[in-house]
Amino acid sequence: MATSMQKLVGVSEEDDEEEMEMDVKEEDDEDEENGEKQIAAQMMIGVDEVMPSTSSSDQFQYQPQLQEQVSNQGGGGGARRSRPLEEKERTKLRERHRRAITARILAGLRRHGNYNLRVRADINDVIAALAREAGWVVLPDGTTFPSRSQSSPAAGTSAGMTSSSSQMVSQQIPPPPATLQGVSSGYRTTVEYNACRMKGVFMPTPSPYDLSSTAPAQSSGVVADGGEQTERLPLIAGSLQVINDKQIIGLPTKLPERDFAGTPFVPVYVMLPLGVINMKCELADPDGLLKQLRVLKSINVDGVMVDCWWGIVEAHAPQEYNWNGYQRLFQMVRELKLKLQVVMSFHECGGNVGDDVCIPLPHWVAEIGRSNPEIFFTDREGRRNPECLSWGIDKERVLRGRTAVEVYFDYMRSFRVEFDEFFEDGIISMVEVGLGPCGELRYPSCPVKNGWRYPGIGEFQCHDQYMLKSLRKAAEMRGHSFWARGPDNAGSYNSQPHETGFFCDGGDYDGYYGRFFLNWYSQVLLNHGDRVLSLAKLAFDGTCITAKLPGIHWWYKTASHAAELTAGYYNPCNRDGYTAIATMLQKHGAALSFSCTEHHILEQQDHLREALADPRGLVWQVLNAAWDVCIPIASENAFLCHDRVGYNKILDNVKPVNDPDGRHFSSFTYHRLSPLLMERQNFMEFERFVKRMHGEAVLDPQV
C-alpha cells in the first residue's frame, strides 16, 4: 500500500532556530560561568600553596606570580580567558550562525527529505543519516564502513556485536553453490535498504525474534567495567553495535525458532517489477527477466504475480485493447511451468511509496477528466486525485457512453477471452481485482502528492459532484437534507484526532450526524466492491478472485480510529467495520488479500507509540473477520524483507502456531522481484523461507 506512507517529525524551522539559539546562549553563559569559577578556584589553590599565612594587605605583591601560575596550571586556559571581549563575542556569533545553519538543514531534511531526526539533532546526526542513506553502516561510536563489509574495520576495539540481519550471534551461512547463476554476491540488510527507499515512511526496524514480552527485547542494559549500569541502548537491526569495554546482557546467544517441517503447504509467489511491461505493452527486458524466472524456478517458487495495467492495455481509445506484452510474458511463465496471479490494475502507478515507474490512467480517460474533473475523487479543498476514478460514477454514463463499472467489466472480459487457454490449463490461479487506489478497497484518503505524511489522519474524499449527489439523496431519505455535506471540523491531512472536533474523544463522529455520514461513506465503499466483484465473478467464473485491503494501523488505539474512518472503514472502538467487508467478499466467493501481516514486529517502535498504532490488534481483527465467514486469506509483505527475522514473523502469521482449527493463509506473495533479492545472501535466506512455507525441513533450524 501505499501501504507504503511517511512519518515526519513535527517541528518547524522557526522552532528549531529558536531552540538552537537558546542552546547557544545557555551554553555560552554556562561556559563563561564555569570558566570564571575554574580560574577563581585555581587562584585560590595557588594562594593557599604560596602564602598560607600572608595578610590581605600583602597579597597584591604576589599578583603577577599568581597569574603566571594560573596560566601554567590551566594549560593555556588563562591566556584564552584573557582574550579581548570583542574576540569572544565574534566566537559566540560564529557559533550561533553555525547552529542556525544546522537548524535549517535539519528542518529541511525533516520537511522535504523525510529524515526521522530527533529535535536536538546535531551535525553528526545529519552526516550519519546521509551516510546510512548512501548504504554505509554508522556505529554508535562514529565508526563508519560500507554495509557490504562483514565486520568493522576498527582495530583494537573490544566490541560486542549483534548481527545486522538477525540481531543474534550466529554461524556464517555457507555461500551458494557455484552453479547457481543470476545471483550476485553483494548484500544489504532489509533495514538498510528500506532506509534508502522509504525514509520515515512506516520505517521497519525488526526486533529480535521471539523474545518474550517480559524480556528486554527492545533495549538491553549495558554494564560498564565497574559494574555500574549505564544507559539502556536500543537493539537496532541493520547496524552493528560496537560498545567499548561493555557487555550486552539480557540477550540470549541463540534465539528460538519454530520448526515448520510438516506444516501445511502454502504456495509462494513473487510479484514482478512494476515496469516489467512498458508503455508500448512490450516486455521491457525479456532476456533478463527469463534468467530471473529460471532462478526463481530453481528454488521451487510456485509462480509470479503481475499487474495488468488499464493505462497500458486500453491506453489510446475505448475498447481497443493491446495485450501483446502480456501474451509474451505469460508464454514465458508457462514454459517454465510456473503459475500466474494477475492484478486488474484500474489505478494510476506513480506518486506512492515504492513506485519507481509512472503509468497514468488511459489517455482518453485523462481527456474526459480535463473537461469533467468531477470524475475524480475530490477533497474538501477541491483538490482532485487522478489516481483512480471516483466511485460516484460507477453508474454514471460519463465515459464515452459507458459507466465506470461497465468499463471495468469490458476490460476484464477482454482479458478472459484473450488468455482463455491459460485459464483452462490452470496457469492463471488467481485474479486480484483492483477496487481503488493502489488496487485496494479504500478511499484515497492519504495522498502523498497532496501533502499527507504519516501519521496524519487523512481527509474524507467525497466532494466531487457525483458523491455529493449520492450524499444528498441519502440525507433526504433520512429526512435531514441539511446533512448533505461533509464534516467541516475533521481537520486536514496531517491533523491528529485530538486536534479535531470530529475525531476527538466524544467528538461528532459518534453523534447523530457523524453516524449518518460515516454509515453512508462506508456503504459507498461496500457498494463499489459489491458491484465490481459481482462482474469479476461473472468474467472469471471458476477462477479464484481476491480483493485487497491495506493495514491502516495508526490511531487504532484511539476511540475514533480516525485514519480508518477517512479511508472508508467504519471501525471505531464501539463498532466492527471489517465484518461487513468480509461478508461482502464471502457473497462473491472472493478471497481477502491483506498486506499488514508483518507490521506488528514494529510494535514497540517510538513512532508507532506516538501514533497510538496497534498493528497486531488490527491484524487479528481483520483475520478473525475473514475466518468467521470462512473466506480464504492471501497475503503479501508490506515492506521489503530480506532477513531471517522478518521472514520468521511472516511465517508466524501465515501459519499461526497452535491454532485450534488449523487455519493458515492460502498463499503468500513476496513483494517484489528486484536485483536486491537476487544478491547472494538475500537469495539464500529467501530460498530457506520458501522451503519453510512449503512445510519442508531446513538444515539449520536454529540460528
Side-chain angles (χ1 to χ4, degrees):
M1 155 187 147
T3 68
S4 277
M5 302 184 169
Q6 304 180 348
K7 175 190 174 188
L8 292 179
V9 178
V11 178
S12 66
E13 296 181 8
E14 292 77 13
D15 292 340
D16 280 337
E17 293 178 10
E18 290 176 4
E19 289 180 1
M20 288 296 184
E21 292 179 359
M22 290 175 63
D23 289 344
V24 173
K25 185 177 186 302
E26 291 172 359
E27 291 179 8
D28 288 344
D29 294 342
E30 184 178 353
D31 291 344
E32 185 174 349
E33 182 179 354
N34 291 341
E36 292 173 355
K37 290 181 179 179
Q38 181 180 3
I39 293 177
Q42 291 174 344
M43 291 180 65
M44 291 303 298
I45 292 172
V47 169
D48 291 340
E49 291 177 354
V50 175
M51 47 177 188
S53 60
T54 307
S55 65
S56 58
S57 60
D58 296 333
Q59 290 179 7
F60 293 101
Q61 62 182 327
Y62 294 96
Q63 187 67 21
Q65 182 179 355
L66 287 175
Q67 289 180 352
E68 181 180 357
Q69 183 175 355
V70 169
S71 177
N72 293 336
Q73 290 181 353
R80 184 165 58 89
R81 181 64 191 165
S82 62
R83 291 180 303 177
L85 181 61
E86 293 81 2
E87 184 177 349
K88 290 190 294 182
E89 290 299 326
R90 285 196 298 270
T91 301
K92 291 181 181 179
L93 289 174
R94 284 196 299 268
E95 182 65 13
R96 289 193 182 96
H97 181 63
R98 182 187 67 80
R99 293 189 181 223
I101 293 175
T102 301
R104 294 188 182 98
I105 293 174
L106 296 177
L109 290 175
R110 290 192 191 98
R111 177 172 299 176
H112 305 295
N114 304 325
Y115 285 86
N116 189 8
L117 297 172
R118 60 189 177 90
V119 174
R120 294 185 179 274
D122 57 21
I123 194 64
N124 292 335
D125 296 309
V126 178
I127 295 173
L130 295 174
R132 290 189 182 104
E133 182 188 10
W136 293 73
V137 174
V138 181
L139 304 184
D141 66 352
T143 304
T144 304
F145 53 91
S147 63
R148 295 175 186 269
S149 301
Q150 298 300 318
S151 61
S152 170
T157 303
S158 175
M161 299 185 179
T162 59
S163 170
S164 63
S165 63
S166 60
Q167 282 288 315
M168 58 192 73
V169 179
S170 63
Q171 60 184 5
Q172 291 289 336
I173 298 177
T179 57
L180 183 61
Q181 297 181 358
V183 182
S184 62
S185 60
Y187 174 67
R188 273 196 294 175
T189 67
T190 301
V191 174
E192 289 168 355
Y193 188 78
N194 283 338
C196 299
R197 292 290 302 273
M198 303 171 65
K199 304 180 295 298
V201 187
F202 303 108
M203 186 65 69
T205 310
S207 59
Y209 174 66
D210 259 354
L211 291 182
S212 67
S213 58
T214 57
Q218 297 302 321
S219 62
S220 64
V222 179
V223 180
D225 292 338
E228 179 183 356
Q229 186 169 357
T230 61
E231 178 185 3
R232 298 178 67 84
L233 300 176
L235 299 177
I236 303 175
S239 65
L240 300 178
Q241 297 185 8
V242 179
I243 306 173
N244 294 335
D245 301 324
K246 297 178 181 179
Q247 179 181 4
I248 297 180
I249 64 175
L251 181 66
T253 56
K254 289 188 177 181
L255 298 176
E257 185 177 63
R258 277 179 62 191
D259 182 7
F260 288 90
T263 57
F265 179 95
V266 176
V268 177
Y269 292 77
V270 175
M271 185 175 290
L272 296 183
L274 293 171
V276 65
I277 303 292
N278 63 26
M279 291 301 297
K280 297 179 180 179
C281 202
E282 300 172 344
L283 271 177
D285 181 15
D287 294 335
L289 178 63
L290 180 59
K291 292 178 181 178
Q292 291 178 323
L293 292 179
R294 284 173 175 166
V295 173
L296 293 178
K297 179 63 178 178
S298 71
I299 62 170
N300 295 319
V301 166
D302 297 277
V304 294
M305 175 181 271
V306 62
D307 290 278
C308 294
W309 294 102
W310 181 33
I312 292 178
V313 175
E314 197 180 359
H316 303 292
Q319 296 181 286
E320 291 185 5
Y321 306 104
N322 177 10
W323 298 103
N324 292 339
Y326 292 101
Q327 275 282 5
R328 187 175 179 187
L329 171 62
F330 290 8
Q331 290 287 354
M332 186 183 299
V333 171
R334 179 165 62 179
E335 290 171 1
L336 292 173
K337 293 181 170 53
L338 294 169
K339 290 190 178 291
L340 273 165
Q341 293 179 338
V342 294
V343 184
M344 299 288 101
S345 297
F346 298 113
H347 61 282
E348 175 187 77
C349 177
N352 289 307
V353 175
D355 290 351
D356 52 6
V357 298
C358 180
I359 303 173
L361 297 184
H363 300 314
W364 60 273
V365 174
E367 291 177 2
I368 296 173
R370 282 190 286 271
S371 59
N372 180 17
E374 301 290 337
I375 66 173
F376 300 122
F377 282 107
T378 308
D379 63 18
R380 185 165 52 90
E381 290 76 21
R383 288 171 290 196
R384 315 289 183 178
N385 189 334
E387 186 176 354
C388 60
L389 297 179
S390 167
W391 299 336
I393 65 169
D394 276 0
K395 297 194 293 184
E396 300 285 343
R397 297 190 177 279
V398 295
L399 301 176
R400 305 279 177 90
R402 294 186 294 168
T403 67
V405 170
E406 289 173 344
V407 169
Y408 303 146
F409 178 65
D410 290 341
Y411 182 86
M412 291 187 288
R413 185 172 54 183
S414 171
F415 177 82
R416 178 63 178 82
V417 172
E418 184 74 19
F419 298 102
D420 178 70
E421 58 182 313
F422 294 92
F423 283 96
E424 295 299 327
D425 295 342
I427 302 299
I428 297 178
S429 61
M430 188 184 78
V431 178
E432 183 179 296
V433 183
L435 297 172
C438 298
E440 299 164 342
L441 180 58
R442 64 174 175 89
Y443 287 90
S445 56
C446 300
V448 175
K449 63 179 67 176
N450 285 351
W452 175 86
R453 295 295 183 269
Y454 176 88
I457 59 177
E459 288 191 19
F460 291 112
Q461 305 291 315
C462 59
H463 297 274
D464 62 83
Q465 71 178 38
Y466 302 104
M467 292 287 284
L468 290 176
K469 175 184 174 182
S470 172
L471 177 58
R472 185 162 51 250
K473 181 179 179 180
E476 290 172 353
M477 290 180 63
R478 182 67 184 271
H480 302 292
S481 58
F482 56 91
W483 282 355
R485 56 176 177 81
D488 55 8
N489 60 345
S492 59
Y493 285 113
N494 294 313
S495 297
Q496 298 187 7
H498 64 274
E499 299 171 345
T500 72
F502 192 81
F503 297 115
C504 65
D505 290 350
D508 292 345
Y509 80 92
D510 204 27
Y512 289 110
Y513 162 72
R515 289 196 295 269
F516 159 77
F517 173 79
L518 293 172
N519 245 319
W520 167 82
Y521 192 71
S522 60
Q523 190 61 46
V524 171
L525 177 145
L526 280 171
N527 292 342
H528 173 73
D530 183 59
R531 293 189 196 102
V532 178
L533 289 178
S534 64
L535 296 177
K537 181 181 179 181
L538 181 63
F540 304 120
D541 186 30
T543 301
C544 176
I545 60 174
T546 65
K548 184 178 178 182
L549 292 186
I552 301 181
H553 54 76
W554 54 104
W555 308 117
Y556 189 87
K557 291 182 179 179
T558 62
S560 61
H561 292 220
E564 292 170 90
L565 295 185
T566 59
Y569 307 129
Y570 192 5
N571 190 54
C573 64
N574 57 355
R575 190 180 188 277
D576 185 356
Y578 295 101
T579 296
I581 296 175
T583 302
M584 182 269 292
L585 297 180
Q586 190 268 344
K587 170 185 172 182
H588 301 293
L592 168 67
S593 177
F594 193 54
S595 60
C596 185
T597 52
E598 86 278 19
H599 278 181
H600 70 261
I601 66 176
L602 314 175
E603 221 165 26
Q604 302 301 318
Q605 297 305 308
D606 289 340
H607 64 81
L608 289 181
R609 287 195 293 267
E610 293 169 3
L612 296 176
D614 186 8
R616 183 185 294 271
L618 174 64
V619 167
W620 285 108
Q621 182 184 358
V622 174
L623 297 189
N624 285 322
W627 278 329
D628 285 346
V629 296
C630 301
I631 61 174
I633 300 175
S635 181
E636 63 184 47
N637 52 308
F639 297 111
L640 288 173
C641 179
H642 300 293
D643 58 71
R644 190 165 300 184
V645 175
Y647 286 138
N648 285 339
K649 288 298 182 181
I650 293 173
L651 282 159
D652 276 344
N653 284 289
V654 172
K655 301 180 180 184
V657 62
N658 298 327
D659 186 277
D661 300 314
R663 296 174 298 194
H664 57 84
F665 290 8
S666 60
S667 67
F668 178 81
T669 301
Y670 178 83
H671 189 289
R672 68 183 63 240
L673 180 63
S674 67
L676 186 63
L677 174 63
M678 290 299 177
E679 292 181 1
R680 183 175 63 186
Q681 182 68 29
N682 293 342
F683 196 77
M684 291 291 290
E685 284 295 332
F686 182 66
E687 179 181 12
R688 184 178 186 276
F689 168 72
V690 172
K691 287 182 178 180
R692 303 177 82 201
M693 275 289 195
H694 289 171
E696 301 176 15
V698 294
L699 297 179
D700 54 343
Q702 291 293 326
V703 179

Coordinates of all heavy atoms in Angstrom, one line a residue, residues 310 314 317-319 346 361-362 364-369 371-372 374-376 388-390 392-408 410 466:
W310 N -4.5 -1.0 -16.8 CA -5.5 -0.4 -17.6 C -4.9 0.7 -18.5 O -5.2 0.8 -19.6 CB -6.6 0.1 -16.7 CG -7.8 0.7 -17.4 CD1 -8.3 0.3 -18.6 CD2 -8.6 1.8 -16.9 NE1 -9.4 1.1 -18.9 CE2 -9.6 2.0 -17.9 CE3 -8.6 2.5 -15.8 CZ2 -10.6 3.0 -17.8 CZ3 -9.6 3.5 -15.6 CH2 -10.6 3.7 -16.6
E314 N -5.5 -0.4 -22.5 CA -6.6 0.4 -23.2 C -6.2 1.9 -23.2 O -7.0 2.7 -22.9 CB -7.9 0.2 -22.4 CG -9.1 0.6 -23.2 CD -10.4 0.4 -22.4 OE1 -10.3 -0.1 -21.2 OE2 -11.5 0.7 -22.9
A317 N -7.7 4.4 -26.9 CA -9.1 4.6 -27.3 C -10.0 3.5 -26.5 O -9.5 2.5 -26.2 CB -9.3 4.4 -28.8
P318 N -11.3 3.9 -26.3 CA -12.1 2.9 -25.6 C -12.3 1.6 -26.3 O -12.4 1.6 -27.5 CB -13.5 3.7 -25.5 CG -13.1 5.1 -25.7 CD -11.9 5.1 -26.6
Q319 N -12.1 0.5 -25.5 CA -12.3 -0.9 -26.0 C -11.3 -1.3 -27.1 O -11.6 -2.2 -27.9 CB -13.8 -1.1 -26.5 CG -14.8 -0.9 -25.4 CD -16.2 -1.1 -25.8 OE1 -16.8 -0.2 -26.5 NE2 -16.8 -2.2 -25.4
F346 N -6.8 -1.0 -12.2 CA -7.5 0.2 -12.7 C -7.1 1.5 -12.1 O -7.9 2.4 -12.1 CB -9.0 -0.1 -12.5 CG -9.6 -1.3 -13.1 CD1 -10.0 -2.4 -12.4 CD2 -9.7 -1.4 -14.5 CE1 -10.5 -3.5 -13.0 CE2 -10.2 -2.5 -15.2 CZ -10.6 -3.6 -14.4
L361 N -3.6 6.8 -15.9 CA -4.8 6.2 -16.4 C -4.8 6.4 -18.0 O -4.0 7.1 -18.5 CB -6.0 6.9 -15.8 CG -6.2 6.8 -14.3 CD1 -7.5 7.5 -13.9 CD2 -6.2 5.3 -13.9
P362 N -5.7 5.7 -18.7 CA -5.7 5.8 -20.2 C -5.8 7.2 -20.6 O -6.5 8.1 -20.0 CB -6.9 5.0 -20.6 CG -7.1 3.9 -19.5 CD -6.6 4.6 -18.2
W364 N -7.5 8.5 -23.0 CA -8.8 9.0 -23.3 C -9.6 9.3 -22.0 O -10.5 10.2 -22.0 CB -9.6 8.0 -24.2 CG -9.7 6.6 -23.6 CD1 -8.8 5.6 -23.6 CD2 -10.8 6.1 -22.8 NE1 -9.3 4.5 -22.9 CE2 -10.6 4.8 -22.4 CE3 -12.1 6.7 -22.4 CZ2 -11.5 4.0 -21.7 CZ3 -12.9 5.9 -21.7 CH2 -12.6 4.6 -21.3
V365 N -9.3 8.6 -20.9 CA -9.9 8.9 -19.6 C -9.4 10.3 -19.1 O -10.1 11.1 -18.6 CB -9.6 7.8 -18.6 CG1 -10.1 8.2 -17.2 CG2 -10.3 6.5 -19.1
A366 N -8.1 10.5 -19.3 CA -7.5 11.8 -18.9 C -8.1 13.0 -19.7 O -8.3 14.0 -19.1 CB -6.0 11.8 -19.1
E367 N -8.4 12.8 -21.0 CA -9.1 13.8 -21.7 C -10.5 14.1 -21.2 O -10.9 15.3 -21.1 CB -9.2 13.4 -23.2 CG -7.8 13.3 -23.9 CD -8.0 12.8 -25.3 OE1 -9.2 12.5 -25.7 OE2 -7.0 12.6 -26.0
I368 N -11.2 13.1 -20.8 CA -12.5 13.3 -20.2 C -12.3 14.0 -18.9 O -13.1 14.9 -18.6 CB -13.2 11.9 -20.0 CG1 -13.5 11.3 -21.3 CG2 -14.5 12.1 -19.2 CD1 -14.1 9.9 -21.2
G369 N -11.3 13.7 -18.1 CA -11.1 14.3 -16.8 C -10.7 15.8 -17.0 O -11.1 16.6 -16.1
S371 N -12.0 17.8 -19.1 CA -13.3 18.6 -19.4 C -14.3 18.4 -18.3 O -15.1 19.2 -18.1 CB -13.9 18.1 -20.7 OG -14.2 16.7 -20.7
N372 N -14.1 17.3 -17.5 CA -15.1 17.0 -16.4 C -14.3 16.4 -15.3 O -14.3 15.2 -15.0 CB -16.1 16.0 -16.9 CG -17.1 15.7 -15.8 OD1 -17.2 16.4 -14.8 ND2 -17.9 14.6 -15.9
E374 N -14.8 16.2 -12.3 CA -15.6 15.6 -11.3 C -15.6 14.1 -11.3 O -16.1 13.5 -10.3 CB -17.1 16.1 -11.4 CG -17.3 17.6 -11.3 CD -17.0 18.2 -9.9 OE1 -17.1 17.4 -9.0 OE2 -16.8 19.4 -9.9
I375 N -15.0 13.5 -12.3 CA -14.9 12.0 -12.3 C -13.8 11.5 -11.4 O -13.7 10.3 -11.2 CB -14.6 11.5 -13.7 CG1 -13.2 11.9 -14.2 CG2 -15.7 12.0 -14.7 CD1 -12.8 11.3 -15.5
F376 N -13.1 12.4 -10.8 CA -12.0 12.0 -9.8 C -12.4 12.3 -8.4 O -13.2 13.2 -8.1 CB -10.7 12.7 -10.2 CG -10.2 12.4 -11.5 CD1 -9.9 13.5 -12.4 CD2 -9.9 11.2 -12.0 CE1 -9.5 13.3 -13.7 CE2 -9.4 10.9 -13.2 CZ -9.2 11.9 -14.1
C388 N -7.4 7.3 -9.4 CA -8.4 6.4 -9.8 C -9.7 7.1 -10.0 O -9.8 8.3 -9.6 CB -8.5 5.2 -8.9 SG -9.0 5.7 -7.2
L389 N -10.7 6.5 -10.6 CA -12.0 7.1 -10.8 C -12.8 7.1 -9.5 O -12.8 6.2 -8.7 CB -12.8 6.4 -11.9 CG -12.1 6.4 -13.3 CD1 -13.0 5.6 -14.2 CD2 -11.9 7.8 -13.8
S390 N -13.6 8.2 -9.4 CA -14.5 8.3 -8.2 C -15.5 7.2 -8.3 O -16.0 6.9 -9.4 CB -15.2 9.7 -8.2 OG -16.2 9.7 -7.3
G392 N -18.4 7.6 -7.4 CA -19.7 8.3 -7.7 C -20.1 8.1 -9.1 O -21.3 8.3 -9.4
I393 N -19.2 7.7 -10.0 CA -19.5 7.5 -11.4 C -19.7 6.0 -11.8 O -19.7 5.6 -12.9 CB -18.5 8.2 -12.4 CG1 -17.2 7.5 -12.3 CG2 -18.4 9.6 -12.1 CD1 -16.2 7.9 -13.4
D394 N -19.8 5.2 -10.7 CA -20.0 3.7 -11.0 C -21.2 3.5 -11.9 O -21.1 2.6 -12.7 CB -20.1 3.0 -9.7 CG -18.8 2.6 -9.0 OD1 -17.8 3.0 -9.6 OD2 -18.8 2.0 -8.0
K395 N -22.2 4.3 -11.7 CA -23.4 4.1 -12.5 C -23.8 5.3 -13.4 O -24.9 5.5 -13.8 CB -24.6 3.7 -11.6 CG -24.4 2.4 -10.9 CD -25.7 1.9 -10.2 CE -26.1 2.7 -9.1 NZ -27.3 2.1 -8.4
E396 N -22.8 6.2 -13.6 CA -23.0 7.4 -14.4 C -22.3 7.2 -15.8 O -21.1 6.8 -15.8 CB -22.4 8.6 -13.7 CG -23.0 8.9 -12.4 CD -24.4 9.6 -12.5 OE1 -24.7 10.0 -13.6 OE2 -25.1 9.6 -11.5
R397 N -23.1 7.4 -16.8 CA -22.5 7.2 -18.2 C -21.7 8.5 -18.6 O -22.2 9.2 -19.5 CB -23.7 6.9 -19.2 CG -24.4 5.6 -18.8 CD -25.3 5.2 -19.9 NE -25.9 3.9 -19.6 CZ -25.4 2.7 -19.8 NH1 -24.2 2.7 -20.3 NH2 -26.0 1.6 -19.4
V398 N -20.6 8.6 -18.1 CA -19.7 9.8 -18.4 C -18.4 9.4 -19.1 O -17.6 10.3 -19.4 CB -19.4 10.5 -17.1 CG1 -20.6 11.1 -16.4 CG2 -18.7 9.6 -16.1
L399 N -18.2 8.1 -19.4 CA -17.0 7.6 -20.0 C -17.3 7.2 -21.4 O -17.4 6.0 -21.8 CB -16.4 6.5 -19.2 CG -16.0 6.8 -17.8 CD1 -15.5 5.6 -17.0 CD2 -15.0 8.0 -17.7
R400 N -17.6 8.2 -22.3 CA -17.9 7.9 -23.7 C -19.1 7.0 -23.8 O -19.1 6.0 -24.6 CB -16.7 7.3 -24.5 CG -15.4 8.1 -24.4 CD -15.4 9.3 -25.4 NE -14.3 10.1 -25.3 CZ -13.1 9.9 -25.9 NH1 -13.0 8.9 -26.7 NH2 -12.1 10.7 -25.8
G401 N -20.1 7.2 -23.0 CA -21.4 6.5 -23.1 C -21.4 5.3 -22.2 O -22.4 4.6 -22.1
R402 N -20.3 5.0 -21.4 CA -20.3 3.8 -20.5 C -20.1 4.3 -19.1 O -19.5 5.4 -18.8 CB -19.1 2.9 -20.9 CG -19.3 2.2 -22.2 CD -18.2 1.1 -22.4 NE -16.9 1.8 -22.5 CZ -15.7 1.1 -22.4 NH1 -15.7 -0.2 -22.2 NH2 -14.6 1.8 -22.5
T403 N -20.6 3.5 -18.2 CA -20.4 3.8 -16.8 C -19.0 3.2 -16.4 O -18.4 2.4 -17.1 CB -21.4 3.1 -15.9 OG1 -21.3 1.7 -16.0 CG2 -22.8 3.5 -16.3
A404 N -18.5 3.6 -15.2 CA -17.2 3.1 -14.8 C -17.2 1.6 -14.6 O -16.3 0.9 -15.0 CB -16.8 3.8 -13.5
V405 N -18.3 1.1 -14.0 CA -18.4 -0.4 -13.8 C -18.4 -1.1 -15.1 O -17.8 -2.2 -15.3 CB -19.7 -0.7 -13.0 CG1 -19.9 -2.2 -12.9 CG2 -19.5 -0.1 -11.6
E406 N -19.1 -0.6 -16.1 CA -19.1 -1.2 -17.5 C -17.7 -1.2 -18.1 O -17.3 -2.2 -18.7 CB -20.1 -0.5 -18.4 CG -21.6 -0.7 -18.0 CD -22.5 0.1 -18.8 OE1 -22.1 1.1 -19.4 OE2 -23.7 -0.2 -18.8
V407 N -17.0 -0.1 -17.9 CA -15.6 -0.1 -18.4 C -14.8 -1.2 -17.8 O -14.0 -1.9 -18.5 CB -15.0 1.3 -18.2 CG1 -13.5 1.3 -18.4 CG2 -15.7 2.4 -19.0
Y408 N -14.9 -1.3 -16.5 CA -14.1 -2.4 -15.8 C -14.5 -3.8 -16.3 O -13.6 -4.6 -16.5 CB -14.3 -2.3 -14.2 CG -14.0 -0.9 -13.6 CD1 -14.8 -0.5 -12.5 CD2 -13.0 -0.1 -14.1 CE1 -14.5 0.8 -11.9 CE2 -12.7 1.1 -13.5 CZ -13.5 1.5 -12.4 OH -13.2 2.7 -11.9
D410 N -15.8 -4.7 -19.2 CA -15.4 -4.9 -20.6 C -13.9 -5.2 -20.6 O -13.4 -6.1 -21.3 CB -15.6 -3.6 -21.4 CG -17.1 -3.4 -21.7 OD1 -17.9 -4.4 -21.6 OD2 -17.5 -2.3 -22.0
Y466 N -20.7 13.9 -8.0 CA -21.4 12.7 -8.1 C -21.5 12.1 -6.7 O -22.5 11.5 -6.3 CB -20.7 11.7 -9.0 CG -20.6 12.3 -10.4 CD1 -19.4 12.7 -10.9 CD2 -21.7 12.3 -11.3 CE1 -19.3 13.3 -12.2 CE2 -21.6 12.8 -12.5 CZ -20.4 13.3 -13.0 OH -20.3 13.8 -14.3

